[in-house]
Amino acid sequence: MEHACLHVATCETYSQVERLMTFCSPFLKHGGAFTGGPTQTNPARPEEESKSPYFINRPNGSLTFALLPSQVKPRLRSFSFDSEHTPPNAKMSRKFFVGGNWKMNGDKKSLGELIHTMNSAKVDPNVEVVCGAPSIYLDFARSKLDPKFGVAAQNCYKVAKGAFTGEISPAMIKDCGVHWVILGHSERRHVFGENDELIGQKTAHALENGLGVIACIGEKLDEREGGTTEKVVFAQTKVIADNVKDWSKVVLAYEPVWAIGTGKTATPQQAQEVHEKLRGWLKSNVSEAVANSVRIIYGGSVTGGTCKELGSQKDVDGFLVGGASLKPEFVDIINAKK
């Protein structure tokens, strides 16, 4: 029997292991079983904890992975599956992700009212929600929002500390109990002049310091009309990819610049086309595992009226929402898949 072996990135956190388990679920549905248990501690290295291999067994084949204890964190080594008997629709399940980018808006009163609305709402538990607060309100947002909602900074710098007036570092962001950052947004690129190189450096530093990154890419109107959309977004994605080691901590946000804050929205078909091509680029230039697992979300005047059809597209894994994230309709957007 032939097996195709797929080596994946090291799992550094339990949530990453849980995501892998989500990937395994199609195998379980097709007659598999989940078994496992610890092996003996290596007598030559008694200081090591015992390894804990687990196996997902299927008829005529198996999916196997091992959690290797590194004192605190489990590490995924590799897994293999029987390519002949793999269910045809088995692919990494991507949890829907909705980010709210509050930009430079709000005060404690208005944001407190928004937070109350969110905390009181019945939201889809299968959606990951992260709110991007102004830096001065990060601690406020984190302390007031229900823990089921994440919080993101809207920017950070590429080093830990120093004489960089007006900047904030990933360490400062984490000190507020915040675990995400938005990088490469079109307003940072086109209003503040950030180039691809700087965005790549910021991405690397944020990831190295344990933040999740919502990495933004997107073309301007003249680039779309000139037929260079793919060239632009592929180049932006390459710089980000060159600075990523662990893709489980990255969400790609495709935001056509011409649709941000303009009231214009890419049609569901336009969004799907670009997302599909981005996933193809990832498959060709990073790996098939990353292409199947990374979440690619859409941003650009998403509203309660447009979210359902956009969210129904095969390669649209959520949204990065601007103005509507400051309104009660943000709850409707979160629940777009219901």
Side-chain angles (χ1 to χ4, degrees), residues 138-143 147 149-153 170-180 211:
L138 285 174
D139 190 59
F140 174 79
R142 181 61 286 166
S143 65
F149 300 121
V151 177
M172 293 173 176
I173 294 168
K174 290 180 68 178
D175 197 36
C176 293
V178 173
H179 300 290
W180 287 91
L211 289 181

Side-chain angles (χ1 to χ4, degrees), residues 116-326:
H116 176 73
T117 297
M118 292 183 61
N119 289 347
S120 304
K122 185 175 182 179
V123 297
D124 188 339
N126 298 312
V127 176
E128 184 171 4
V129 181
V130 174
C131 295
S135 60
I136 198 167
Y137 294 132
L138 285 174
D139 190 59
F140 174 79
R142 181 61 286 166
S143 65
K144 298 295 185 182
L145 270 170
D146 189 292
K148 68 176 175 280
F149 300 121
V151 177
Q154 298 175 15
N155 187 33
C156 71
Y157 199 49
K158 63 180 181 180
V159 297
K161 60 182 179 179
F164 303 103
T165 301
E167 293 289 347
I168 61 174
S169 70
M172 293 173 176
I173 294 168
K174 290 180 68 178
D175 197 36
C176 293
V178 173
H179 300 290
W180 287 91
V181 64
I182 301 169
L183 293 176
H185 193 278
S186 66
E187 290 149 10
R188 299 303 312 175
R189 293 175 186 268
H190 303 302
V191 177
F192 297 98
E194 294 187 4
N195 59 28
D196 285 342
E197 181 182 10
L198 176 59
I199 292 164
Q201 292 168 342
K202 288 182 174 187
T203 298
H205 184 63
L207 291 170
E208 286 166 2
N209 285 271
L211 289 181
V213 172
I214 303 169
C216 302
I217 57 176
E219 82 283 7
K220 295 183 291 185
L221 181 59
D222 63 321
E223 292 166 336
R224 170 163 282 272
E225 291 178 342
T228 60
T229 294
E230 290 179 41
K231 179 181 178 181
V232 171
V233 298
F234 288 172
Q236 293 170 341
T237 304
K238 183 181 186 306
V239 175
I240 292 165
D242 288 345
N243 288 279
V244 175
K245 295 179 181 177
D246 182 357
W247 281 91
S248 70
K249 296 179 180 178
V250 177
V251 171
L252 277 181
Y254 168 61
E255 294 196 300
V257 180
W258 49 271
I260 298 174
T262 64
K264 298 179 180 179
T265 306
T267 66
Q269 294 73 29
Q270 286 174 320
Q272 167 59 26
E273 180 183 18
V274 176
H275 283 222
E276 184 177 25
K277 289 179 178 177
L278 282 168
R279 211 172 294 285
W281 187 92
L282 290 169
K283 180 178 178 180
S284 299
N285 294 275
V286 182
S287 74
E288 184 173 6
V290 167
N292 286 338
S293 65
V294 73
R295 291 175 288 183
I296 306 176
I297 63 177
Y298 170 79
S301 299
V302 177
T303 68
T306 61
C307 62
K308 284 192 176 294
E309 191 174 1
L310 282 165
S312 69
Q313 303 302 304
K314 179 171 67 75
D315 290 296
V316 174
D317 302 315
F319 312 111
L320 184 57
V321 186
S325 69
L326 293 160

